[in-house]
Amino acid sequence: MSIVGWIILGLLAGVIAKILLPGRDPGGLVGTTLIGIVGAFVGGWLSGKLLDRPISNDFFDAATWVAAIAGSLVLLIVYRLLFGNSRERR
């Protein structure tokens, strides 16, 4: 899969992660989208390294999608833990 394919997969994974984990994000839509893209790369890389699962070149591979969504969820949770209170008014 090309870099453009991973970016598109990351965008969709970020949207799915946002649906699965609703709430206000400190970065808004742009931040969630970037987290989705990075999560897709991280999830795919970890799937290849830790699970010894080669990354498929097929865009519609279920394991690739699960890894991308899981990576996005993990990054979204970490992001909320680190920066979750940055929008509170004082």
Side-chain angles (χ1 to χ4, degrees):
M1 185 170 11
S2 69
I3 192 81
V4 174
W6 275 104
I7 291 172
I8 292 170
L9 177 66
L11 290 170
L12 296 173
V15 169
I16 293 170
K18 179 67 176 167
I19 290 170
L20 293 175
L21 198 63
R24 269 184 100 173
D25 291 323
L29 181 64
V30 174
T32 303
T33 302
L34 292 175
I35 287 172
I37 293 170
V38 173
F41 281 104
V42 170
W45 181 77
L46 286 175
S47 173
K49 294 295 180 188
L50 298 179
L51 301 177
D52 198 28
R53 166 116 171 73
I55 297 172
S56 173
N57 287 332
D58 187 16
F59 184 76
F60 296 106
D61 181 45
T64 302
W65 278 88
V66 169
I69 294 168
S72 297
L73 282 171
V74 168
L75 286 181
L76 186 59
I77 290 169
V78 169
Y79 184 69
R80 284 183 181 181
L81 288 173
L82 293 176
F83 303 107
N85 296 328
S86 65
R87 279 193 158 179
E88 287 183 2
R89 295 182 184 228
R90 294 177 189 227

